[in-house]
């Protein structure tokens, strides 16, 4: 059945294909309002999280932020109040602690938009990286997201029944969660896993009118990235340094726009949009137009990907050859 339908789609002209995709695209497109609704953001004391919290407060949302450091949370609260005139709720907890996360969400009250923005990043070759550091990244980036979603879901489901408005669970991944790069073995693994979580979760919560968004920012100018970037291997700088970074405010704007549109995949720049097409696979797609672009662009993007891989592998070979001569 599926093969016959695909063969038929290849024979129809673009207008016919778009018409078919308008019927096939799932989940159905939704608009998720922020004004007057509760937006709960982790990693909200700095960087992208703080920028998203400030932008959501400007739109009239009731904002709560969570982070580990209580003092930095109070600083963030003051910054948001100064920028928007709105107060925000603050909750100090470590996302690795499921009980602490559950208590924070109970204190905050039912959530309409959950933004799992927490994350840590330490680049290094796996052979040189301590397993304790690998577990630390996986525990925060992946298990912390499980803790948040599991704790928030029951009240979110009840909330959508009461309000009859769509809700959102947004998960902050990374472009390193779309393509593996030298020196990012542990980090990429923790971010790639979020995609599987998001795809399966969307199936589980769509009946409750909850939409999942996966956000894929590039390198972003944040205090955390600046510090962690000092440990980047030289090869990682050569390969990943060629892609442009973004400011936290710009990523926050793209992320919130994607959440409000109910998009499953939310790229943040042109390179990210190309990666989204190249890695679309079996991911949900609510936009017929985007689905159309994914279909017609798949072959071209695969060719581009092979060119990128050729460049990266050549860079690695040349770097090792050069360093062996000087060893």
């Amino acid at each position: 059945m599926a093969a016959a339908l695909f063969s038929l789609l290849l024979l129809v002209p673009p207008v016919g294909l778009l018409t078919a995709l308008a019927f096939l695209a799932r989940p159905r497109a939704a608009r998720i309002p922020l004004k007057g609704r509760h937006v709960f953001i982790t990693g909200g004391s700095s960087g992208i999280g703080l920028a998203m919290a400030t932008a959501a407060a400007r739109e009239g949302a009731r904002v709560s932020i969570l982070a580990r450091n209580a003092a930095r949370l109070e600083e963030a609260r003051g910054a948001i109040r100064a920028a928007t005139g709105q107060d925000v709720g603050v909750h100090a907890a470590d996302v690795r602690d499921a009980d602490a996360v559950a208590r924070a969400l109970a204190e905050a009250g039912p959530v309409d938009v959950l933004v799992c923005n927490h994350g840590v990043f330490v680049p290094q070759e796996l052979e040189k990286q301590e397993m304790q550091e690998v577990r630390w990244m996986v525990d925060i980036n992946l298990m912390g997201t499980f803790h948040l979603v599991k704790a928030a879901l029951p009240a979110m489901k009840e909330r959508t029944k009461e309000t009859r408005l769509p809700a959102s669970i947004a998960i902050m991944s990374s472009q390193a969660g779309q393509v593996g790069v030298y020196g990012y073995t542990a980090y990429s693994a923790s971010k790639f896993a979020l995609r599987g979580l998001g795809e399966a979760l969307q199936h589980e919560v769509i009946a409750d009118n909850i939409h999942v968004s996966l956000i894929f920012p590039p390198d972003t100018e944040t205090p955390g990235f600046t510090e962690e970037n000092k440990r980047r291997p030289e090869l990682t700088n050569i390969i990943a340094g060629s892609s442009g970074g973004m400011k936290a405010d710009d990523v926050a704007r793209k992320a919130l726009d994607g959440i409000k549109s109910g998009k499953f995949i939310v790229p943040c720049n042109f390179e990210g949009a190309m990666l989204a097409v190249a890695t679309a696979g079996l991911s949900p797609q609510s936009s017929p137009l985007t689905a159309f672009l994914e279909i017609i662009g798949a072959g071209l993007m695969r060719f581009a990907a092979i060119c990128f891989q050729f460049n990266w592998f050549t860079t690695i070979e040349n770097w090792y050859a050069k360093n062996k001569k000087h060893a």
Side-chain angles (χ1 to χ4, degrees):
M1 173 66 178
L5 182 59
F6 179 71
S7 298
L8 180 62
L9 289 177
L10 292 177
L11 297 175
V12 298
V15 173
L17 179 55
L18 277 168
T19 302
L21 291 172
F23 170 75
L24 292 169
R26 291 293 188 279
R28 291 295 191 190
R31 294 296 302 177
I32 299 170
L34 298 184
K35 186 175 182 179
R37 308 187 78 201
H38 187 195
V39 178
F40 190 100
I41 303 172
T42 64
S45 63
S46 64
I48 297 170
L50 177 57
M52 290 183 74
T54 303
R58 281 200 184 100
E59 293 197 29
R62 179 170 78 86
V63 175
S64 297
I65 55 175
L66 180 145
R68 285 176 290 178
N69 190 304
R72 289 179 65 184
L73 278 167
E74 288 300 331
E75 290 175 7
R77 170 189 260 171
I80 295 169
R81 187 187 293 121
T84 69
Q86 303 293 323
D87 196 15
V88 299
V90 295
H91 304 274
D94 188 329
V95 295
R96 293 173 292 179
D97 186 336
D99 292 334
V101 167
R103 285 194 297 271
L105 281 159
E107 292 168 3
V111 173
D112 298 298
V113 177
L114 175 67
V115 181
C116 302
N117 171 68
H118 57 277
V120 290
F121 163 58
V122 182
Q124 194 170 30
E125 298 93 337
L126 180 61
E127 185 180 8
K128 298 177 182 177
Q129 196 156 39
E130 296 293 333
M131 283 307 299
Q132 182 179 357
E133 203 164 57
V134 173
R135 291 190 187 96
W136 178 66
M137 277 188 275
V138 171
D139 283 346
I140 292 175
N141 298 350
L142 177 60
M143 294 308 300
T145 303
F146 274 111
H147 295 158
L148 280 152
V149 173
K150 190 166 176 61
L153 259 183
M156 287 186 79
K157 289 182 175 183
E158 290 300 317
R159 182 81 165 165
T160 57
K161 289 177 186 175
E162 293 171 7
T163 63
R164 297 184 179 277
L165 291 171
S168 173
I169 296 173
I171 299 171
M172 190 66 67
S173 183
S174 163
Q175 286 183 358
Q178 294 172 294
V179 59
V181 176
Y182 184 101
Y184 285 12
T185 304
Y187 179 66
S188 282
S190 72
K191 291 296 188 176
F192 264 86
L194 294 175
R195 180 157 187 158
L197 187 164
E199 289 188 4
L201 181 65
Q202 182 62 95
H203 285 179
E204 296 178 11
V205 300
I206 191 59
D208 296 287
N209 205 14
I210 299 173
H211 293 257
V212 176
S213 291
L214 281 173
I215 303 158
F216 293 96
D219 289 347
T220 304
E221 297 171 15
T222 65
F225 178 76
T226 301
E227 187 60 33
E228 291 151 0
N229 200 34
K230 293 175 183 177
R231 280 187 53 179
R232 261 186 176 181
E234 183 182 350
L235 254 176
T236 308
N237 276 327
I238 295 169
I239 294 170
S242 59
S243 60
M246 290 182 69
K247 295 187 180 299
D249 286 343
D250 295 330
V251 172
R253 185 175 66 255
K254 292 284 187 181
L256 284 177
D257 286 345
I259 291 168
K260 290 187 291 183
S261 300
K263 291 181 179 177
F264 182 76
I265 299 294
V266 182
C268 296
N269 60 6
F270 178 76
E271 184 181 70
M274 297 302 98
L275 272 172
V277 172
T279 62
L282 286 170
S283 60
Q285 182 53 262
S286 58
S287 166
L289 179 58
T290 303
F292 177 79
L293 294 174
E294 288 170 350
I295 291 168
I296 65 171
L300 179 61
M301 286 301 102
R302 180 55 183 152
F303 177 74
I306 290 171
C307 292
F308 273 109
Q309 290 291 351
F310 169 81
N311 181 56
W312 294 337
F313 277 102
T314 301
T315 299
I316 292 166
E317 290 166 7
N318 291 340
W319 188 88
Y320 273 97
K322 175 184 174 183
N323 282 272
K324 282 180 180 177
K325 288 180 182 178
H326 294 89

